[in-house]
């Protein structure tokens, strides 16, 4: 049975394999500003997908964020171009993702390395792939 795209899930595929995370989607300014701040924990298979209207320079910080995170920065096609591993909780330093970032996936810190997720991996989600999402996952 082929994987299906749902609003509350992202699928990752790359040379390393595939993974699925249950996500909250932050697709407006208020949700993106709040992010995962003030959370004390997050399920291992969970994350947050940040969706921007267009690709642009993107930076994150960990202010008021208590969970160490891996931050995966992706372009307008959903291809991950940079991974910041184990972002330090409560750190207010800027984490620059790149100049043409439209999607950012935050997952629990250490998972990207443990799973082998690397730049070049594709993120599949209805916000990214639109109607072709299900078809892309079935290939």
């Amino acid at each position: 049975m082929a994987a299906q795209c749902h609003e509350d899930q992202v699928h990752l595929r790359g040379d390393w394999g595939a993974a699925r995370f249950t996500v909250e989607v932050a697709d407006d300014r208020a949700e993106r500003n709040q992010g995962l701040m003030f959370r004390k924990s997050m399920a291992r298979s969970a994350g947050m997908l940040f969706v921007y209207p267009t690709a642009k320079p993107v930076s994150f910080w960990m202010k008021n964020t208590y969970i160490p995170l891996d931050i995966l920065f992706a372009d307008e096609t959903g291809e991950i171009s940079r991974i910041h591993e184990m972002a330090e909780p409560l750190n207010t330093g800027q984490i620059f993702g790149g100049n043409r970032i439209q999607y950012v996936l935050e997952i629990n810190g250490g998972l990207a390395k443990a799973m082998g997720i690397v730049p070049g991996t594709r993120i599949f989600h209805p916000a990214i792939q639109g109607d072709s999402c299900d078809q892309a996952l079935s290939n």
Side-chain angles (χ1 to χ4, degrees), residues 7 10-11 16 30-31 33 42 46 54-55 57 59 61 63 69-70 77 87-88 91 101 104 106 119 123 126:
E7 189 69 26
V10 295
H11 295 261
W16 55 272
E31 292 170 338
N33 286 341
M42 182 169 64
T54 59
S59 290
W61 66 353
K63 182 178 181 180
L69 298 171
D70 287 347
T77 69
E88 180 184 349
N91 190 320
I101 302 301
V104 178
E106 291 182 336
I123 300 173

Side-chain angles (χ1 to χ4, degrees), residues 25-94:
V25 177
D27 58 3
D28 67 36
R29 183 182 303 255
E31 292 170 338
R32 288 189 300 265
N33 286 341
Q34 178 68 31
L36 291 170
M37 289 194 308
F38 304 109
R39 310 261 180 113
K40 299 290 185 181
S41 65
M42 182 169 64
R44 181 172 171 86
S45 62
M48 180 170 277
L49 179 66
F50 294 79
V51 178
Y52 294 90
T54 59
K56 64 180 200 164
V58 172
S59 290
F60 273 53
W61 66 353
M62 295 291 288
K63 182 178 181 180
N64 299 320
T65 304
Y66 301 110
I67 308 164
L69 298 171
D70 287 347
I71 307 173
L72 292 66
F73 297 93
D75 66 15
E76 63 275 2
T77 69
E79 183 175 328
I80 296 171
S81 57
R82 182 172 187 277
I83 299 173
H84 182 91
E85 295 180 355
M86 293 298 293
E88 180 184 349
L90 305 176
N91 190 320
T92 58
Q94 294 292 308

